[in-house]
Amino acid sequence: MLKILHSADWHLGKRLQEYSRLPEQQLVLKEITEIAERENVDLVLLAGDLFDTFNPSHEAVELFYKTLRRLSNEGKRPIVAISGNHDSTQFVSAPNPLAKELGILFYSQYDQQFTPEKLDSGLEITKSTSGFVELKLPQLEFPVRIILAPYANEVLLKTYLGEEDKEAELRKVLGQQWQKVADDFCDEEGVNLFMGHFFFMKEGEKPEAEPESERPILHVGGAQAIYTHLIPSSMQYAALGHLHRYHAVDQSPCPVVYSSSPLAYSFSEANQEKKVVLIEASPAQAVKYQAIPLKQGRPLYQKSFSTLATTLEWLSENPYCFVEVIYETETSIDAETRKAIMKAHDGIVSLIPKLTGDHQLEDGSLQAEDLGQDMGTLFSRYYQSAKGLEPNEEIKSLFNEIIGQTDNEETA
């Protein structure tokens, strides 16, 4: 039996406004490593968004490589990782010549192939083609096959896509590629796995909302999702990344599962229990899988208060968290009250007035309840309120570019 640990969306280097999450990321990655040791895991799958930006900070990179060295058990436990839409394909795959000596394989580009070879650890790369690798672990009698589907946009797949209906063309190209690989390499003599970083859903169902902290995937031709029925029927488990909540999208043709991010990265994720997934697999058998909750990291709360006393009492009772404080007031928060609240806690991300009574805003301006909306929507509403018209596509593109530059500067 093969024991697999599935994780995704580490977003190393992520910030919550001015707050660095690296100290928490250190703790939760240590917890994930301890789970792998405790459960005697044979193989680790990391399904994309390893970093939060294309140009991660030195501290984020150092944490990543040190964690993988420990997680790989000095080369005895293989790790296969793909890139997500936050990752630089070149940056992710660059360490492969050295990383593979520890049984760590990075896959980020669709024309990438691994050279078949036997490593000093005993791990053997037996077969590889574009989007596929077969491994032979020394303690197992059967091979492990993995279809690799890192995030791909129109630029990465431009040689395959036509000019019309690129949404349908993208699905067609990916589905055909995955099926061809499965037909060529994935029989019942080995364990067959799929790993992807896409927005997957069952065709015909309502799409799962993307998390606020996740910059939406640059959908090709407006594509909203890749359908689960495109995963080949020979697959036994599909390890997904991109959505930050643990859930199984489908059970057909196999369990199609998002493991979740290891930490809550925005207040829209405040009530989510973060997890990793442990899978037990054997050839030609249905897998068994279970989600293991993660305990490390500051919880996120969005709390409303109407008096200073109740605000300070709650903050005193909940010191280890990040919180958006919504303070009900008839006019505005006076300087003395604001100072008392901010001084009472080191994790207050925002202090937001909520006007009550006759002073409530009735002109369409932004309210505290609007904070769950994404930045693009908030900007459009602000622009419409200030200018009396919707921003055009050029202005929206400029705003999105500014957001991307700001994120990069914060984590550089």
Side-chain angles (χ1 to χ4, degrees), residues 60-174:
V61 174
E62 182 176 12
L63 173 60
F64 181 63
Y65 292 138
K66 285 186 175 180
T67 298
L68 292 195
R69 182 176 63 83
R70 292 191 296 267
L71 191 56
S72 73
N73 192 21
E74 305 294 341
K76 299 180 181 67
R77 180 184 299 118
I79 299 173
V80 183
I82 60 172
S83 58
N85 56 301
H86 282 243
D87 297 314
S88 162
T89 56
Q90 291 85 359
F91 187 88
V92 166
S93 59
N96 263 326
L98 181 60
K100 71 178 180 181
E101 297 303 321
L102 285 175
I104 302 169
L105 304 180
F106 296 110
Y107 192 85
S108 61
Q109 296 170 301
Y110 273 75
D111 59 354
Q112 182 180 339
Q113 296 185 34
F114 297 103
T115 302
E117 60 182 306
K118 188 170 184 178
L119 305 175
D120 291 342
S121 63
L123 173 69
E124 189 173 358
I125 302 171
T126 49
K127 298 175 184 177
S128 181
T129 189
S130 296
F132 174 79
V133 67
E134 181 182 87
L135 305 175
K136 180 67 173 62
L137 281 61
Q139 70 271 31
L140 299 175
E141 295 298 322
F142 52 83
V144 180
R145 293 78 171 258
I146 311 172
I147 293 179
L148 303 165
Y151 165 68
N153 59 18
E154 182 180 357
V155 174
L156 295 175
L157 292 177
K158 63 184 178 182
T159 58
Y160 302 100
L161 300 181
E163 293 300 320
E164 301 298 327
D165 196 1
K166 292 180 180 178
E167 174 182 345
E169 193 72 13
L170 174 67
R171 292 174 178 144
K172 177 181 177 182
V173 166
L174 292 176

Side-chain angles (χ1 to χ4, degrees), residues 36 210 282:
E210 291 179 281
S282 299

Side-chain angles (χ1 to χ4, degrees), residues 126-344:
T126 49
K127 298 175 184 177
S128 181
T129 189
S130 296
F132 174 79
V133 67
E134 181 182 87
L135 305 175
K136 180 67 173 62
L137 281 61
Q139 70 271 31
L140 299 175
E141 295 298 322
F142 52 83
V144 180
R145 293 78 171 258
I146 311 172
I147 293 179
L148 303 165
Y151 165 68
N153 59 18
E154 182 180 357
V155 174
L156 295 175
L157 292 177
K158 63 184 178 182
T159 58
Y160 302 100
L161 300 181
E163 293 300 320
E164 301 298 327
D165 196 1
K166 292 180 180 178
E167 174 182 345
E169 193 72 13
L170 174 67
R171 292 174 178 144
K172 177 181 177 182
V173 166
L174 292 176
Q176 288 178 342
Q177 166 70 8
W178 300 335
Q179 189 60 56
K180 183 179 186 308
V181 169
D183 291 342
D184 290 344
F185 298 103
C186 299
D187 58 27
E188 293 187 349
E189 300 301 314
V191 166
N192 302 318
L193 307 170
F194 178 97
M195 179 163 56
H197 192 95
F198 282 100
F199 194 5
F200 272 91
M201 63 176 283
K202 292 174 68 173
E203 186 173 11
E205 289 196 351
K206 183 179 179 180
E208 174 81 11
E210 291 179 281
E212 177 189 337
S213 62
E214 178 63 52
R215 289 190 290 274
I217 278 184
L218 301 175
H219 302 299
V220 177
Q224 293 300 304
I226 305 298
Y227 298 139
T228 53
H229 69 72
L230 295 174
I231 297 173
S233 59
S234 56
M235 296 298 102
Q236 295 167 262
Y237 181 86
L240 302 185
H242 181 58
L243 300 184
H244 289 187
R245 176 175 69 87
Y246 165 78
H247 67 295
V249 183
D250 205 344
Q251 293 296 328
S252 177
C254 64
V256 182
V257 181
Y258 285 99
S259 63
S260 87
S261 57
L263 297 175
Y265 286 127
S266 75
F267 287 96
S268 64
E269 303 174 38
N271 297 318
Q272 296 176 9
E273 185 176 44
K274 300 302 184 177
K275 304 178 181 183
V276 292
V277 186
L278 182 67
I279 305 106
E280 297 180 351
S282 299
Q285 301 292 323
V287 303
K288 297 178 181 179
Y289 71 98
Q290 62 171 312
I292 301 176
L294 298 171
K295 304 300 183 184
Q296 293 295 335
R298 287 191 177 198
L300 273 60
Y301 300 109
Q302 189 179 67
K303 301 291 293 184
S304 295
F305 303 98
S306 56
T307 68
L308 179 59
T310 56
T311 307
L312 297 180
E313 180 182 8
W314 188 92
L315 293 174
S316 176
E317 293 173 351
N318 297 273
Y320 187 68
C321 67
F322 289 115
V323 59
E324 280 189 337
V325 176
I326 300 171
Y327 193 79
E328 297 179 2
T329 176
E330 289 189 356
T331 53
S332 61
I333 304 175
D334 62 78
E336 185 175 343
T337 299
R338 179 178 292 274
K339 181 178 179 181
I341 293 173
M342 298 302 294
K343 187 178 179 181

